[in-house]
Amino acid sequence: MSRCAQAAAVAATVPAAGVGNVGLRPPMVPRQASFFPPPVPNPFVQQTHIGSARRVQIFLLGIILLPIRVLLVALILLLAWPFAAISTVCCPEKLTHPVTGWRRKITQTALKFLGRAMFFSMGFIVSVKGRIASPLEAPVFVAAPHSTFFDGIACVVAGLPSMVSRNENAQVPLIGRMLRAVQPILVSRVDPDSRKNTINEIIKRTTSGGEWPQILVFPEGTCTNRSCLITFKPGAFIPGVPVQPVLLRYPNKLDTVTWTWQGYTFIQLCMLTFCQLFTKVEVEFMPVQVPNDEEKNDPVLFANKVRNVMAEALGIPVTDHTYEDCRLMISAGQLTLPMEAGLVEFTKISRKLKLDWDGVRKQLDEYASIASSSKGGRIGIDEFAKYLKLPVSDVLRQLFALFDRNHDGSIDFREYVIGLAVLCNPANTEEIIQVAFKLFDVDEDGYITEEEFSTILQASLGVPDLDVSGLFKEIAQGDSISYEEFKSFALRHPEYAKIFTTYLDLQTCHVFSLPKEVQTTPSIASNKVSPEKHEESASDKKDD
């Protein structure tokens, strides 16, 4: 009898090899309870509901206020343009030296006044709290939460500090000239060295001893609905200099300012805001945050500390969502999934599981192929079994439960990504695939027949009358499965990794359930898997 045939005999003697009673069948992978879901459902959407009475009020006020405010804003922009032109005349688009002397003094004073006048003409009532730090005290302002294009009011209140902006914005007529007047740090998306150059420019300016203006950064990098603070990008914290947090609040009964990825458009928000009698905004300058030595060497640590301080003052939670989650959210919508399906807290997932955006985006396509037919864009046990072309069995329920981390009876995309990374991929190595192939290849002729394939899966899944012809045909190109075909299928479909290696779990469970004098390891060791090594692989002790 071959070694694999002996292994089959061992597996067949395991109690509860049939359907129903689990008996000594080992749990496939006992997971730790971590990767908790975020405390907010979706920070990138805003649904503002306007009642009938409010709509009538907006219409009546808009008849008077909208044309007046549009004219005032246009007039102020025209008045500001000459001052911006004076400030930037004969200056290159990317400054190498700060604007100084009378040009800086006159233009800054005029533009600050006109900036306040413009927001006042739009109906904003601004209240400022706290003390604005000097350039020597805090070279950098970090403003959050970033929820609208109206957040530019923080720049006006702070005295027109420099901002980090896209290079394309500086090319916009009129607006681009005024942006250049605040001596921005321009970022080019087509330049591969842009990120490095931007960081170097931030370091140069923040360590200039007040020669350059202060820098205002929105560290979240994208707009949210202010329900939380998402991950702060480390750019503003890399220089390791003191920063002053700036809190932005809009305490209005009707929210007409929040500009997220799903909700009102730019034009709609402008019209709604202009039609309000007034719009309140609070700008609070918090105490300066000075990094310690450890935080100077670790900008992510410093960014997280500042974010926690700001979140505590705002009374809102923090999450690990980022701009990449927005991209996944849009992709999910394009795949006819609920947009929330793409929110995985990409920063935390990618950092802990060593995943890149392209890999997660590819997994979203695979997930959509399973979940698109189900209600709510989630995978149930029936969809899971149908995708794997296997019946619902005890082992499949175990595997499903390991993906279903919150035990709600379904798998969302976040759970799917985590499950593949901590459950399937570690069991899908070259060595494990080789061992799994040898287990299926009972007669050791280098090929797996449909009978061998069916026999092993029946023993593994505890389903005596299991029909695997559909799955077999998907793997095999002919009448049998070669190792290359088996390996290619296993790598393309890591969900099967634990299904194919459940046989090893059964062997180990049986061996360790025997009396000590009977416990021997030849049948397992002969397949290049020792009990100790297998136990580590089967339990998948990856700290998640």
Side-chain angles (χ1 to χ4, degrees):
M1 181 181 293
S2 69
R3 295 189 180 99
C4 290
Q6 292 174 2
V10 171
T13 65
V14 175
V19 183
N21 181 18
V22 178
L24 291 178
R25 183 180 295 280
M28 295 177 69
V29 181
R31 300 307 312 156
Q32 299 179 14
S34 63
F35 281 113
F36 294 110
V40 292
N42 190 342
F44 305 113
V45 298
Q46 174 66 17
Q47 300 295 337
T48 300
H49 300 286
I50 304 176
S52 299
R54 176 72 75 169
R55 289 177 184 273
V56 172
Q57 180 185 3
I58 291 173
F59 176 76
L60 294 177
L61 288 174
I63 293 176
I64 302 172
L65 296 177
L66 183 60
I68 294 175
R69 285 176 170 167
V70 170
L71 288 174
L72 287 175
V73 169
L75 177 61
I76 292 172
L77 288 176
L78 290 175
L79 290 175
W81 187 87
F83 294 98
I86 292 172
S87 177
T88 57
V89 66
C90 299
C91 292
E93 190 172 277
K94 290 190 176 182
L95 296 174
T96 56
H97 300 283
V99 177
T100 58
W102 65 270
R103 286 201 304 175
R104 178 174 178 178
K105 185 175 181 179
I106 293 176
T107 57
Q108 290 292 98
T109 302
L111 290 176
K112 280 190 289 185
F113 172 79
L114 291 172
R116 287 179 176 270
M118 184 175 68
F119 277 100
F120 178 78
S121 68
M122 290 189 290
F124 282 91
I125 298 178
V126 185
S127 62
V128 180
K129 300 179 180 179
R131 184 183 67 87
I132 303 175
S134 67
L136 294 178
E137 292 175 301
V140 179
F141 296 113
V142 287
H146 184 28
S147 61
T148 175
F149 45 85
F150 291 122
D151 287 342
I153 198 167
C155 181
V156 175
V157 173
L160 296 184
S162 299
M163 301 179 67
V164 179
S165 179
R166 292 186 304 163
N167 188 56
E168 293 82 0
N169 294 338
Q171 310 301 323
V172 178
L174 188 63
I175 301 297
R177 177 68 70 170
M178 283 182 282
L179 174 64
R180 290 175 54 195
V182 300
Q183 306 176 62
I185 298 174
L186 297 177
V187 179
S188 174
R189 292 186 174 182
V190 297
D191 182 3
D193 297 324
S194 180
R195 186 178 183 276
K196 181 181 69 175
N197 294 337
T198 300
I199 292 173
N200 291 336
E201 185 68 16
I202 291 175
I203 294 173
K204 181 183 77 172
R205 294 194 184 192
T206 56
T207 57
S208 66
E211 183 180 355
W212 285 90
Q214 290 163 286
I215 297 175
L216 175 67
V217 178
F218 294 97
E220 292 173 292
T222 189
C223 290
T224 70
N225 56 20
R226 297 192 299 278
S227 62
C228 63
L229 290 184
I230 64 173
T231 300
F232 280 10
K233 294 184 179 297
F237 306 92
I238 288 177
V241 298
V243 303
Q244 183 171 33
V246 182
L247 304 181
L248 297 170
R249 300 183 181 93
Y250 293 86
N252 302 287
K253 290 183 179 180
L254 180 65
D255 184 1
T256 63
V257 299
T258 302
W259 189 43
T260 55
W261 290 76
Q262 188 178 35
Y264 287 119
T265 64
F266 174 86
I267 298 297
Q268 289 173 330
L269 285 179
C270 285
M271 293 183 64
L272 284 172
T273 302
F274 288 6
C275 292
Q276 300 301 306
L277 195 59
F278 57 84
T279 302
K280 295 180 181 178
V281 57
E282 295 179 0
V283 182
E284 180 179 353
F285 292 86
M286 296 184 66
V288 173
Q289 298 294 310
V290 181
N292 56 34
D293 292 337
E294 185 179 5
E295 291 163 349
K296 288 179 180 178
N297 297 322
D298 188 349
V300 174
L301 181 65
F302 187 25
N304 287 338
K305 185 190 82 169
V306 174
R307 182 177 64 151
N308 290 336
V309 169
M310 298 177 74
E312 184 178 356
L314 290 164
I316 58 177
V318 299
T319 73
D320 289 299
H321 291 106
T322 58
Y323 171 70
E324 285 72 20
D325 286 286
C326 296
R327 296 172 63 193
L328 287 170
M329 185 181 74
I330 299 301
S331 297
Q334 294 171 346
L335 294 171
T336 69
L337 292 171
M339 297 185 74
E340 289 78 8
L343 301 180
V344 297
E345 290 190 301
F346 180 81
T347 295
K348 179 168 69 176
I349 297 296
S350 62
R351 183 176 64 247
K352 297 192 73 173
L353 302 180
K354 305 296 186 292
L355 301 175
D356 58 24
W357 192 88
D358 290 332
V360 175
R361 177 62 182 82
K362 183 179 179 181
Q363 290 175 357
L364 181 62
D365 289 331
E366 298 169 355
Y367 177 85
S369 67
I370 311 172
S372 58
S373 61
S374 63
K375 294 182 179 180
R378 301 172 71 91
I379 300 174
I381 184 68
D382 294 330
E383 290 85 11
F384 194 64
K386 182 179 179 181
Y387 171 71
L388 295 177
K389 294 182 174 61
L390 295 171
V392 177
S393 63
D394 293 326
V395 172
L396 196 67
R397 289 190 183 94
Q398 289 181 25
L399 178 60
F400 183 84
L402 292 170
F403 276 87
D404 180 16
R405 303 180 74 87
N406 62 355
H407 308 295
D408 65 351
S410 63
I411 301 171
D412 62 22
F413 179 58
R414 190 173 186 276
E415 292 171 324
Y416 181 77
V417 171
I418 296 171
L420 289 181
V422 305
L423 171 66
C424 296
N425 292 337
N428 216 28
T429 63
E430 177 82 22
E431 181 180 4
I432 296 298
I433 292 174
Q434 290 177 358
V435 171
F437 181 83
K438 290 180 180 179
L439 289 173
F440 279 96
D441 183 16
V442 176
D443 59 7
E444 298 183 344
D445 66 346
Y447 293 91
I448 302 173
T449 65
E450 184 171 348
E451 181 180 359
E452 291 172 329
F453 191 70
S454 177
T455 300
I456 299 299
L457 277 185
Q458 285 175 0
S460 298
L461 299 177
V463 183
D465 56 349
L466 176 66
D467 181 11
V468 297
S469 57
L471 179 59
F472 181 84
K473 291 177 181 178
E474 185 171 343
I475 303 175
Q477 296 182 0
D479 296 332
S480 60
I481 302 173
S482 67
Y483 173 71
E484 290 302 323
E485 292 170 344
F486 186 82
K487 176 183 174 182
S488 175
F489 181 84
L491 293 177
R492 291 198 317 272
H493 301 279
E495 300 91 344
Y496 284 94
K498 281 298 176 184
I499 296 294
F500 289 161
T501 58
T502 300
Y503 209 71
L504 298 174
D505 296 315
L506 293 173
Q507 288 180 264
T508 303
C509 178
H510 178 70
V511 169
F512 286 111
S513 68
L514 295 175
K516 290 186 178 180
E517 61 272 11
V518 183
Q519 288 185 15
T520 56
T521 62
S523 64
I524 301 177
S526 63
N527 282 311
K528 299 183 181 180
V529 181
S530 64
E532 294 80 9
K533 183 174 182 180
H534 173 66
E535 183 179 20
E536 180 177 354
S537 175
S539 63
D540 186 20
K541 297 179 181 178
K542 185 171 183 175
D543 181 16
D544 62 350

